[in-house]
Amino acid sequence: MIKKKIEILSPAGSLDCIQAAVQAGADAVYFGVEQLNMRARSTHSFKINDMKEVSTLCKANGIKTYLTLNTEIYDHDMQLMRGILKEVLKNNIDAVIASDFAVISYCSDLNIPLHISTQANVCNLESVRLYSKYADVVVLARELTLSQIKQITSEIKRQSILGVSGELMKVEVFVHGSLCMAISGKCYLSLHTHNASANRGACFQNCRHLYKVINCETNEELSIDNKYIMSSKDLCTIDILDQIAHSGVDILKIEGRTKGADYIYSVTKCYKEALQSIDEGTFSYDKIENWKTELAKVYNRGFWEGHYLGQMTGQWTSHYGSIATEKKIYIGKGSNYFSKMKVGEFIVEAGKINVFDTIMVIGPICGVQRLQMLKLVVNGVEASEATKGDKVTFPFATKISANDKLYKIFKNRDV
Amino acid sequence: MFKIIFHRNNCIGCGTCYELQPEFWRMSNRDGKASLVNACKKRCVFIRSVGISVLPQMKDVVHSCPVNIIKIQ
């Protein structure tokens, strides 16, 4: 049994992702707006005016919302930063995640609850004590081991280190998602090669490519088995989640604001179930294997447990991109919904779909719905296949619109 | 003459264009993004015609933009 309530914090890059997180049982979501967040390059980016909709949606579903404002902040960003924080207050966003002292200071002035970002590289109790004057939560550096985390959480309790709210300082750790080879994400590779600072959310992901190490004097190539020498495998802690849950942490963070709603749903669901199972005392090897199979279906570069168990070096990927065991391809979008019959109509815009195919519908209202096409009705007639231009209808519980996308799921044969 | 086409919405406010060519660019204190001085706005894009003498310098700016939102025509 876990002694205290542990929160699952899911990433949200779009409204679809928020719905997916809600469906999967997340306790909170974090999101960024405008260019002052670590996913500024992302194609799905919330704007300052979207804050109200995000807040309303989350409040209606009883989950908390945290806004990331954790890039390096320049002088010309101050007005935007202040504008964003005023909107945070107006829209009742539960907290801001920051690392720059300008943001920390302004949040403190406005009495906005603050979480110290992993970008601040908090590795010890004294840093937690310093930040406790401004914040309620610290996201610990990803390089810490579980015993170091335990030491910090137990000392927070023993020394009664209180945050701004008057409650004990809370500790958040990353449990799943992409890792970066740089300490706490402080990477300058992308800035050197593309003038695109990772610390302004514009990372070009240079580390994810193949590299050779060549001696320029002799032209000899250093023999390296794996040429992905900088691309870390993804963090997956589901095997050791019981140890993490008992280490005294309060919030488990899932990485992936640029990932799709299907990823958010699967990962959040697995970790939520795992946490419940630890609480009930039913956490078992068989369950872990099932969760790992589910996690492997969505975007991943292979898994390792990060630094929690004290591994000396990181583990590197052997492939470029994802090695997810399943792929999804876009088929079409929603066109009509027959509410009385609860039937959805979709227009096929690409590829084809066959009867018995596994499909997924992703949208801002329905979230993520996965089902098998047991009966395929094409243009009003039962058929075995639908191609571009066809209208397919099938029973569907929630209302659909043109914002709902239909995907076909199939096994990834490349891995 | 050539045209500078600037897709301002996607600017991440890194300030490189301003550093390289302060006579053409400003950093807006309002929203933290770069602004192209004396440009005309057409929908979401800002356009300004300039003389050929600044072309080499402008090419540097184009290549230095981390989000590739400055084009030359």
Side-chain angles (χ1 to χ4, degrees), chain A residues 353-408:
Chain A
I353 188 165
N354 296 305
V355 66
F356 302 124
D357 276 347
T358 302
I359 58 153
M360 187 177 274
V361 180
I362 297 179
I365 296 168
C366 71
V368 177
Q369 301 288 341
R370 184 185 169 118
L371 50 119
Q372 200 184 15
M373 194 71 93
L374 294 172
K375 187 178 154 191
L376 185 65
V377 177
V378 182
N379 302 324
V381 184
E382 195 170 338
S384 59
E385 186 182 283
T387 52
K388 194 175 172 182
D390 287 340
K391 283 183 177 174
V392 290
T393 46
F394 52 88
F396 200 70
T398 46
K399 195 179 173 191
I400 55 153
S401 69
N403 292 327
D404 292 278
K405 307 275 188 292
L406 175 67
Y407 297 91
K408 181 170 152 181

Side-chain angles (χ1 to χ4, degrees), chain A residues 35 41 76 79-80 195 200 202, chain B residues 12-13 16 29 31-32 64 66:
Chain A
Q35 70 267 30
R41 184 185 284 286
H76 61 250
Q79 199 164 328
L80 175 64
N195 192 43
R200 290 280 293 184
Chain B
I12 60 163
T16 306
N29 283 330
D31 62 3
S64 303

Side-chain angles (χ1 to χ4, degrees), chain A residues 302-314:
Chain A
F303 294 130
W304 72 305
E305 290 121 355
H307 298 279
Y308 291 125
L309 300 181
Q311 277 101 331
M312 292 292 284
T313 55

Side-chain angles (χ1 to χ4, degrees), chain B residues 25-57:
Chain B
W25 304 92
R26 292 278 181 276
M27 294 312 296
S28 160
N29 283 330
R30 188 177 49 82
D31 62 3
K33 293 178 189 277
S35 294
L36 178 58
V37 176
N38 294 334
C40 299
K41 190 179 179 191
K42 280 192 182 170
R43 291 186 187 153
C44 301
V45 180
F46 288 81
I47 300 169
R48 176 176 168 178
S49 296
V50 287
I52 205 83
S53 60
V54 293
L55 186 59
Q57 206 185 14

Side-chain angles (χ1 to χ4, degrees), chain A residues 22 51 69 138 142 171 182 187 224 243 279 345 361 388 403:
Chain A
V22 168
M51 236 189 269
L69 198 59
V138 282
R142 289 170 290 194
V171 167
C187 180
I224 299 169
Q243 294 180 57
D279 197 32
E345 181 187 80
V361 180
K388 194 175 172 182
N403 292 327

Side-chain angles (χ1 to χ4, degrees), chain A residues 77-94:
Chain A
D77 296 318
M78 292 302 159
Q79 199 164 328
L80 175 64
M81 181 268 284
R82 290 185 189 123
I84 291 173
L85 290 182
K86 280 177 187 158
E87 286 298 310
V88 163
L89 270 183
K90 212 162 103 184
N91 293 298
N92 295 318
I93 302 295
D94 293 280

